[in-house]
Amino acid sequence: MAANEERSIGIVMNGVTGRMGYRQHLVRSILAIRDQGGLRLADGTVLRPEPILVGRNESKLATIAKEHGVDSWTTDLDEALKAPGAEIYFDAQVTSRRVEGVKKAVAAGLNIYTEKPISEDTETALELGRICRDAGVKVGVVQDKLFLPGLLKLKRLVDGGFFGKILSVRGEFGYWVFEGDWQEAQRPSWNYRAEDGGGIIVDMFCHWRYVLEEIFGPVRSVQALAATHIPERVGEDGKPYACTADDAAYGIFELDGGIVAQVNSSWTTRVFRDELVEFQVDGTEGSAVAGLRRCRVQHRSMTPKPVWNPDLPATEDFRSQWQEVPDNADFDNGFKAQWELFLRHVVADEPFSWDFLAGARGVQLAELGLQSAREGRRIEVPELTL
Ligand SMILES: NC(=O)c1ccc[n+]([C@@H]2O[C@H](COP(=O)([O-])OP(=O)(O)OC[C@H]3O[C@@H](n4cnc5c(N)ncnc54)[C@H](O)[C@@H]3O)[C@@H](O)[C@H]2O)c1
């Protein structure tokens, strides 16, 4: 296509009334790309995303469409998949609804982009991968944490050899999710019901898989302890329900090269950290603490020599002994950055590495984490192929 020509691309967006579908994918990604005047491809073509909104609730959809100037919306997925110009199906529905939506969209010949996890079990994830491969459509799965400024800076440190030999990684993720009785919960109730696809292991271990692997190396084993600390919560309907899924998970992962990663994931902890997720990495040459946006380091040469003496108050301000890693780049919203890569993949055939095999690897770690918790043992992580 000649330079400066415009080309539109229809994106069927299912689940845009949900937290992720609305805020991160519709508003912060697709509408943000539209509002910046489209996405300029390498050959100069300007790509204009045209969302086609799909959901279950007509009035919610109509309100969102009106508020954001979107012309096309429907409660009928089949109708949306046949819409003229539709080339991509995006799914941010509850996880348990994903497989059905994706299968329909592949059958209609659309390229697929979905939220994680792509399914509730590994076998189904691989099956979806094969269906998409055989249909010759392009696929992608959201792996947003890789695009967080803090983790991008951490990766830069690893790539630059800052750590020497990396010994260990300690991750803390979590915050208090209100029970819904005296203050409304800030997460949907299905997250706390295993039968509806909930649970923090299913939710977070797929993130930890790609974060650990892309920054440090392959995950070889998992050992997890899962807990349901809050046994009853109050749902969106104001009624109490039994929590059947884990709301906290204490995981240990062995990575290639003897790196030990411990990651706590919890919806039942109060934050005494600078950010909602933080990873401390310790290496022979230096250490780093990376969060959503910030990354701080302490080099070997700047490491103090504390002496254990509980009889005296701390004499050093340990936090002040770390240095801030500069941005040295502009960081866009991570969901939008990944959407732009996927759009370039679909339209201009540029590479995109987070396919359904990557998605299945995330589901696999969650599944093995749950198995480890059930059986109380460490479990090796076998290689997966489509
Ligand atoms: N990438 C991330 O960081 C991240 C964070 C949170 C959630 N997620 C994923 O995004 C997906 C959506 O999560 P969310 O937190 O936005 O959930 P949500 O409950 O806020 O939204 C769910 C959406 O699915 C639709 N839906 C379809 N069938 C449904 C049913 N039977 N019950 C309830 N809703 C139904 C809802 O209408 C809504 O649009 C999940 O797969 C979740 O794992 C990803």
PDB file of all heavy atoms in Angstrom, residues 348-375:
ATOM      1  N   ALA A 348       0.720  -6.272   8.774  1.00  0.00           N
ATOM      2  CA  ALA A 348       1.990  -6.145   8.043  1.00  0.00           C
ATOM      3  C   ALA A 348       2.883  -7.366   8.248  1.00  0.00           C
ATOM      4  O   ALA A 348       4.044  -7.360   7.835  1.00  0.00           O
ATOM      5  CB  ALA A 348       2.713  -4.887   8.515  1.00  0.00           C
ATOM      6  N   ASP A 349       2.332  -8.404   8.885  1.00  0.00           N
ATOM      7  CA  ASP A 349       3.067  -9.653   9.081  1.00  0.00           C
ATOM      8  C   ASP A 349       4.356  -9.486   9.888  1.00  0.00           C
ATOM      9  O   ASP A 349       5.303 -10.240   9.719  1.00  0.00           O
ATOM     10  CB  ASP A 349       3.385 -10.279   7.712  1.00  0.00           C
ATOM     11  CG  ASP A 349       3.283 -11.793   7.793  1.00  0.00           C
ATOM     12  OD1 ASP A 349       2.691 -12.291   8.760  1.00  0.00           O
ATOM     13  OD2 ASP A 349       3.827 -12.463   6.894  1.00  0.00           O
ATOM     14  N   GLU A 350       4.397  -8.489  10.743  1.00  0.00           N
ATOM     15  CA  GLU A 350       5.574  -8.331  11.607  1.00  0.00           C
ATOM     16  C   GLU A 350       5.542  -9.411  12.693  1.00  0.00           C
ATOM     17  O   GLU A 350       4.476  -9.929  13.024  1.00  0.00           O
ATOM     18  CB  GLU A 350       5.592  -6.920  12.222  1.00  0.00           C
ATOM     19  CG  GLU A 350       5.884  -5.877  11.168  1.00  0.00           C
ATOM     20  CD  GLU A 350       6.134  -4.492  11.740  1.00  0.00           C
ATOM     21  OE1 GLU A 350       6.385  -4.367  12.956  1.00  0.00           O
ATOM     22  OE2 GLU A 350       6.072  -3.533  10.945  1.00  0.00           O
ATOM     23  N   PRO A 351       6.715  -9.791  13.233  1.00  0.00           N
ATOM     24  CA  PRO A 351       6.722 -10.888  14.215  1.00  0.00           C
ATOM     25  C   PRO A 351       5.983 -10.554  15.506  1.00  0.00           C
ATOM     26  O   PRO A 351       5.914  -9.389  15.906  1.00  0.00           O
ATOM     27  CB  PRO A 351       8.220 -11.101  14.497  1.00  0.00           C
ATOM     28  CG  PRO A 351       8.930  -9.954  13.910  1.00  0.00           C
ATOM     29  CD  PRO A 351       8.040  -9.242  12.949  1.00  0.00           C
ATOM     30  N   PHE A 352       5.441 -11.592  16.120  1.00  0.00           N
ATOM     31  CA  PHE A 352       4.713 -11.431  17.386  1.00  0.00           C
ATOM     32  C   PHE A 352       4.860 -12.756  18.116  1.00  0.00           C
ATOM     33  O   PHE A 352       4.394 -13.782  17.647  1.00  0.00           O
ATOM     34  CB  PHE A 352       3.233 -11.135  17.096  1.00  0.00           C
ATOM     35  CG  PHE A 352       2.423 -10.805  18.321  1.00  0.00           C
ATOM     36  CD1 PHE A 352       2.317  -9.502  18.779  1.00  0.00           C
ATOM     37  CD2 PHE A 352       1.757 -11.812  19.022  1.00  0.00           C
ATOM     38  CE1 PHE A 352       1.566  -9.197  19.911  1.00  0.00           C
ATOM     39  CE2 PHE A 352       0.998 -11.515  20.151  1.00  0.00           C
ATOM     40  CZ  PHE A 352       0.906 -10.199  20.586  1.00  0.00           C
ATOM     41  N   SER A 353       5.545 -12.755  19.258  1.00  0.00           N
ATOM     42  CA  SER A 353       5.915 -14.054  19.830  1.00  0.00           C
ATOM     43  C   SER A 353       4.926 -14.628  20.829  1.00  0.00           C
ATOM     44  O   SER A 353       5.080 -15.760  21.255  1.00  0.00           O
ATOM     45  CB  SER A 353       7.304 -13.961  20.462  1.00  0.00           C
ATOM     46  OG  SER A 353       7.425 -12.765  21.175  1.00  0.00           O
ATOM     47  N   TRP A 354       3.894 -13.851  21.214  1.00  0.00           N
ATOM     48  CA  TRP A 354       3.028 -14.344  22.292  1.00  0.00           C
ATOM     49  C   TRP A 354       1.773 -14.986  21.710  1.00  0.00           C
ATOM     50  O   TRP A 354       0.693 -14.404  21.711  1.00  0.00           O
ATOM     51  CB  TRP A 354       2.717 -13.183  23.236  1.00  0.00           C
ATOM     52  CG  TRP A 354       4.005 -12.577  23.691  1.00  0.00           C
ATOM     53  CD1 TRP A 354       4.915 -13.139  24.550  1.00  0.00           C
ATOM     54  CD2 TRP A 354       4.563 -11.316  23.281  1.00  0.00           C
ATOM     55  NE1 TRP A 354       5.990 -12.304  24.695  1.00  0.00           N
ATOM     56  CE2 TRP A 354       5.799 -11.187  23.942  1.00  0.00           C
ATOM     57  CE3 TRP A 354       4.139 -10.293  22.430  1.00  0.00           C
ATOM     58  CZ2 TRP A 354       6.620 -10.070  23.764  1.00  0.00           C
ATOM     59  CZ3 TRP A 354       4.950  -9.193  22.255  1.00  0.00           C
ATOM     60  CH2 TRP A 354       6.178  -9.083  22.920  1.00  0.00           C
ATOM     61  N   ASP A 355       1.965 -16.204  21.196  1.00  0.00           N
ATOM     62  CA  ASP A 355       0.863 -16.920  20.546  1.00  0.00           C
ATOM     63  C   ASP A 355       0.173 -17.848  21.548  1.00  0.00           C
ATOM     64  O   ASP A 355       0.390 -17.749  22.751  1.00  0.00           O
ATOM     65  CB  ASP A 355       1.400 -17.699  19.333  1.00  0.00           C
ATOM     66  CG  ASP A 355       2.504 -18.675  19.750  1.00  0.00           C
ATOM     67  OD1 ASP A 355       2.697 -18.885  20.978  1.00  0.00           O
ATOM     68  OD2 ASP A 355       3.161 -19.233  18.862  1.00  0.00           O
ATOM     69  N   PHE A 356      -0.640 -18.786  21.030  1.00  0.00           N
ATOM     70  CA  PHE A 356      -1.384 -19.651  21.942  1.00  0.00           C
ATOM     71  C   PHE A 356      -0.496 -20.704  22.611  1.00  0.00           C
ATOM     72  O   PHE A 356      -0.880 -21.260  23.638  1.00  0.00           O
ATOM     73  CB  PHE A 356      -2.572 -20.294  21.228  1.00  0.00           C
ATOM     74  CG  PHE A 356      -3.792 -19.397  21.232  1.00  0.00           C
ATOM     75  CD1 PHE A 356      -3.709 -18.086  21.689  1.00  0.00           C
ATOM     76  CD2 PHE A 356      -5.021 -19.862  20.797  1.00  0.00           C
ATOM     77  CE1 PHE A 356      -4.818 -17.252  21.707  1.00  0.00           C
ATOM     78  CE2 PHE A 356      -6.151 -19.038  20.808  1.00  0.00           C
ATOM     79  CZ  PHE A 356      -6.044 -17.729  21.260  1.00  0.00           C
ATOM     80  N   LEU A 357       0.680 -20.976  22.057  1.00  0.00           N
ATOM     81  CA  LEU A 357       1.597 -21.862  22.777  1.00  0.00           C
ATOM     82  C   LEU A 357       2.095 -21.117  24.018  1.00  0.00           C
ATOM     83  O   LEU A 357       2.153 -21.685  25.117  1.00  0.00           O
ATOM     84  CB  LEU A 357       2.768 -22.285  21.878  1.00  0.00           C
ATOM     85  CG  LEU A 357       3.748 -23.260  22.525  1.00  0.00           C
ATOM     86  CD1 LEU A 357       3.046 -24.524  23.030  1.00  0.00           C
ATOM     87  CD2 LEU A 357       4.869 -23.636  21.563  1.00  0.00           C
ATOM     88  N   ALA A 358       2.411 -19.829  23.842  1.00  0.00           N
ATOM     89  CA  ALA A 358       2.807 -19.015  25.002  1.00  0.00           C
ATOM     90  C   ALA A 358       1.653 -18.959  26.002  1.00  0.00           C
ATOM     91  O   ALA A 358       1.849 -19.097  27.218  1.00  0.00           O
ATOM     92  CB  ALA A 358       3.189 -17.602  24.555  1.00  0.00           C
ATOM     93  N   GLY A 359       0.435 -18.803  25.486  1.00  0.00           N
ATOM     94  CA  GLY A 359      -0.745 -18.762  26.357  1.00  0.00           C
ATOM     95  C   GLY A 359      -0.910 -20.080  27.106  1.00  0.00           C
ATOM     96  O   GLY A 359      -1.211 -20.107  28.303  1.00  0.00           O
ATOM     97  N   ALA A 360      -0.685 -21.191  26.395  1.00  0.00           N
ATOM     98  CA  ALA A 360      -0.840 -22.521  27.003  1.00  0.00           C
ATOM     99  C   ALA A 360       0.217 -22.739  28.085  1.00  0.00           C
ATOM    100  O   ALA A 360      -0.042 -23.388  29.105  1.00  0.00           O
ATOM    101  CB  ALA A 360      -0.719 -23.607  25.929  1.00  0.00           C
ATOM    102  N   ARG A 361       1.410 -22.200  27.886  1.00  0.00           N
ATOM    103  CA  ARG A 361       2.462 -22.350  28.896  1.00  0.00           C
ATOM    104  C   ARG A 361       2.046 -21.662  30.204  1.00  0.00           C
ATOM    105  O   ARG A 361       2.331 -22.142  31.297  1.00  0.00           O
ATOM    106  CB  ARG A 361       3.777 -21.760  28.376  1.00  0.00           C
ATOM    107  CG  ARG A 361       4.366 -22.584  27.231  1.00  0.00           C
ATOM    108  CD  ARG A 361       5.351 -21.749  26.413  1.00  0.00           C
ATOM    109  NE  ARG A 361       6.557 -21.445  27.154  1.00  0.00           N
ATOM    110  CZ  ARG A 361       7.560 -22.287  27.333  1.00  0.00           C
ATOM    111  NH1 ARG A 361       7.499 -23.479  26.796  1.00  0.00           N
ATOM    112  NH2 ARG A 361       8.622 -21.941  28.006  1.00  0.00           N
ATOM    113  N   GLY A 362       1.361 -20.541  30.072  1.00  0.00           N
ATOM    114  CA  GLY A 362       0.856 -19.850  31.255  1.00  0.00           C
ATOM    115  C   GLY A 362      -0.194 -20.671  31.973  1.00  0.00           C
ATOM    116  O   GLY A 362      -0.171 -20.825  33.200  1.00  0.00           O
ATOM    117  N   VAL A 363      -1.114 -21.234  31.195  1.00  0.00           N
ATOM    118  CA  VAL A 363      -2.173 -22.066  31.777  1.00  0.00           C
ATOM    119  C   VAL A 363      -1.543 -23.299  32.441  1.00  0.00           C
ATOM    120  O   VAL A 363      -1.947 -23.719  33.528  1.00  0.00           O
ATOM    121  CB  VAL A 363      -3.177 -22.508  30.680  1.00  0.00           C
ATOM    122  CG1 VAL A 363      -4.228 -23.447  31.257  1.00  0.00           C
ATOM    123  CG2 VAL A 363      -3.840 -21.295  30.040  1.00  0.00           C
ATOM    124  N   GLN A 364      -0.509 -23.836  31.790  1.00  0.00           N
ATOM    125  CA  GLN A 364       0.163 -25.033  32.336  1.00  0.00           C
ATOM    126  C   GLN A 364       0.756 -24.751  33.720  1.00  0.00           C
ATOM    127  O   GLN A 364       0.608 -25.546  34.646  1.00  0.00           O
ATOM    128  CB  GLN A 364       1.287 -25.460  31.381  1.00  0.00           C
ATOM    129  CG  GLN A 364       2.029 -26.698  31.857  1.00  0.00           C
ATOM    130  CD  GLN A 364       3.374 -26.863  31.179  1.00  0.00           C
ATOM    131  OE1 GLN A 364       4.043 -25.887  30.832  1.00  0.00           O
ATOM    132  NE2 GLN A 364       3.767 -28.107  30.950  1.00  0.00           N
ATOM    133  N   LEU A 365       1.397 -23.587  33.866  1.00  0.00           N
ATOM    134  CA  LEU A 365       2.011 -23.298  35.172  1.00  0.00           C
ATOM    135  C   LEU A 365       0.933 -23.154  36.250  1.00  0.00           C
ATOM    136  O   LEU A 365       1.121 -23.599  37.385  1.00  0.00           O
ATOM    137  CB  LEU A 365       2.880 -22.037  35.106  1.00  0.00           C
ATOM    138  CG  LEU A 365       3.789 -21.852  36.322  1.00  0.00           C
ATOM    139  CD1 LEU A 365       4.808 -22.991  36.435  1.00  0.00           C
ATOM    140  CD2 LEU A 365       4.512 -20.514  36.287  1.00  0.00           C
ATOM    141  N   ALA A 366      -0.204 -22.573  35.872  1.00  0.00           N
ATOM    142  CA  ALA A 366      -1.308 -22.452  36.832  1.00  0.00           C
ATOM    143  C   ALA A 366      -1.837 -23.834  37.201  1.00  0.00           C
ATOM    144  O   ALA A 366      -2.059 -24.139  38.382  1.00  0.00           O
ATOM    145  CB  ALA A 366      -2.416 -21.587  36.231  1.00  0.00           C
ATOM    146  N   GLU A 367      -2.004 -24.671  36.191  1.00  0.00           N
ATOM    147  CA  GLU A 367      -2.541 -26.009  36.441  1.00  0.00           C
ATOM    148  C   GLU A 367      -1.596 -26.814  37.341  1.00  0.00           C
ATOM    149  O   GLU A 367      -2.018 -27.474  38.293  1.00  0.00           O
ATOM    150  CB  GLU A 367      -2.722 -26.718  35.094  1.00  0.00           C
ATOM    151  CG  GLU A 367      -3.618 -27.908  35.137  1.00  0.00           C
ATOM    152  CD  GLU A 367      -3.958 -28.368  33.721  1.00  0.00           C
ATOM    153  OE1 GLU A 367      -3.049 -28.726  32.954  1.00  0.00           O
ATOM    154  OE2 GLU A 367      -5.152 -28.363  33.384  1.00  0.00           O
ATOM    155  N   LEU A 368      -0.290 -26.731  37.041  1.00  0.00           N
ATOM    156  CA  LEU A 368       0.682 -27.467  37.854  1.00  0.00           C
ATOM    157  C   LEU A 368       0.797 -26.862  39.252  1.00  0.00           C
ATOM    158  O   LEU A 368       1.032 -27.574  40.228  1.00  0.00           O
ATOM    159  CB  LEU A 368       2.052 -27.491  37.154  1.00  0.00           C
ATOM    160  CG  LEU A 368       2.081 -28.256  35.819  1.00  0.00           C
ATOM    161  CD1 LEU A 368       3.467 -28.180  35.202  1.00  0.00           C
ATOM    162  CD2 LEU A 368       1.660 -29.712  36.002  1.00  0.00           C
ATOM    163  N   GLY A 369       0.619 -25.564  39.351  1.00  0.00           N
ATOM    164  CA  GLY A 369       0.636 -24.900  40.655  1.00  0.00           C
ATOM    165  C   GLY A 369      -0.513 -25.411  41.516  1.00  0.00           C
ATOM    166  O   GLY A 369      -0.341 -25.708  42.703  1.00  0.00           O
ATOM    167  N   LEU A 370      -1.681 -25.543  40.922  1.00  0.00           N
ATOM    168  CA  LEU A 370      -2.838 -26.056  41.661  1.00  0.00           C
ATOM    169  C   LEU A 370      -2.618 -27.510  42.070  1.00  0.00           C
ATOM    170  O   LEU A 370      -2.947 -27.918  43.183  1.00  0.00           O
ATOM    171  CB  LEU A 370      -4.101 -25.933  40.806  1.00  0.00           C
ATOM    172  CG  LEU A 370      -4.688 -24.524  40.710  1.00  0.00           C
ATOM    173  CD1 LEU A 370      -5.761 -24.453  39.625  1.00  0.00           C
ATOM    174  CD2 LEU A 370      -5.280 -24.097  42.053  1.00  0.00           C
ATOM    175  N   GLN A 371      -2.032 -28.269  41.143  1.00  0.00           N
ATOM    176  CA  GLN A 371      -1.751 -29.679  41.455  1.00  0.00           C
ATOM    177  C   GLN A 371      -0.746 -29.781  42.605  1.00  0.00           C
ATOM    178  O   GLN A 371      -0.914 -30.578  43.533  1.00  0.00           O
ATOM    179  CB  GLN A 371      -1.193 -30.366  40.203  1.00  0.00           C
ATOM    180  CG  GLN A 371      -1.019 -31.860  40.390  1.00  0.00           C
ATOM    181  CD  GLN A 371      -0.279 -32.511  39.224  1.00  0.00           C
ATOM    182  OE1 GLN A 371      -0.153 -31.935  38.143  1.00  0.00           O
ATOM    183  NE2 GLN A 371       0.214 -33.712  39.454  1.00  0.00           N
ATOM    184  N   SER A 372       0.282 -28.937  42.548  1.00  0.00           N
ATOM    185  CA  SER A 372       1.294 -28.923  43.610  1.00  0.00           C
ATOM    186  C   SER A 372       0.651 -28.604  44.954  1.00  0.00           C
ATOM    187  O   SER A 372       0.942 -29.240  45.970  1.00  0.00           O
ATOM    188  CB  SER A 372       2.368 -27.893  43.261  1.00  0.00           C
ATOM    189  OG  SER A 372       3.112 -27.562  44.397  1.00  0.00           O
ATOM    190  N   ALA A 373      -0.257 -27.632  44.943  1.00  0.00           N
ATOM    191  CA  ALA A 373      -0.918 -27.238  46.188  1.00  0.00           C
ATOM    192  C   ALA A 373      -1.787 -28.380  46.722  1.00  0.00           C
ATOM    193  O   ALA A 373      -1.804 -28.664  47.916  1.00  0.00           O
ATOM    194  CB  ALA A 373      -1.770 -25.995  45.949  1.00  0.00           C
ATOM    195  N   ARG A 374      -2.483 -29.037  45.794  1.00  0.00           N
ATOM    196  CA  ARG A 374      -3.368 -30.148  46.207  1.00  0.00           C
ATOM    197  C   ARG A 374      -2.572 -31.305  46.788  1.00  0.00           C
ATOM    198  O   ARG A 374      -2.920 -31.885  47.799  1.00  0.00           O
ATOM    199  CB  ARG A 374      -4.123 -30.658  44.971  1.00  0.00           C
ATOM    200  CG  ARG A 374      -5.568 -30.288  44.930  1.00  0.00           C
ATOM    201  CD  ARG A 374      -6.341 -30.995  43.829  1.00  0.00           C
ATOM    202  NE  ARG A 374      -5.604 -31.462  42.690  1.00  0.00           N
ATOM    203  CZ  ARG A 374      -5.434 -30.788  41.558  1.00  0.00           C
ATOM    204  NH1 ARG A 374      -5.929 -29.567  41.424  1.00  0.00           N
ATOM    205  NH2 ARG A 374      -4.765 -31.314  40.545  1.00  0.00           N
ATOM    206  N   GLU A 375      -1.461 -31.631  46.111  1.00  0.00           N
ATOM    207  CA  GLU A 375      -0.710 -32.828  46.494  1.00  0.00           C
ATOM    208  C   GLU A 375       0.413 -32.521  47.474  1.00  0.00           C
ATOM    209  O   GLU A 375       1.072 -33.441  47.968  1.00  0.00           O
ATOM    210  CB  GLU A 375      -0.144 -33.490  45.225  1.00  0.00           C
ATOM    211  CG  GLU A 375      -1.259 -33.950  44.291  1.00  0.00           C
ATOM    212  CD  GLU A 375      -0.748 -34.519  42.968  1.00  0.00           C
ATOM    213  OE1 GLU A 375       0.485 -34.633  42.790  1.00  0.00           O
ATOM    214  OE2 GLU A 375      -1.593 -34.820  42.115  1.00  0.00           O
TER     215      GLU A 375
END
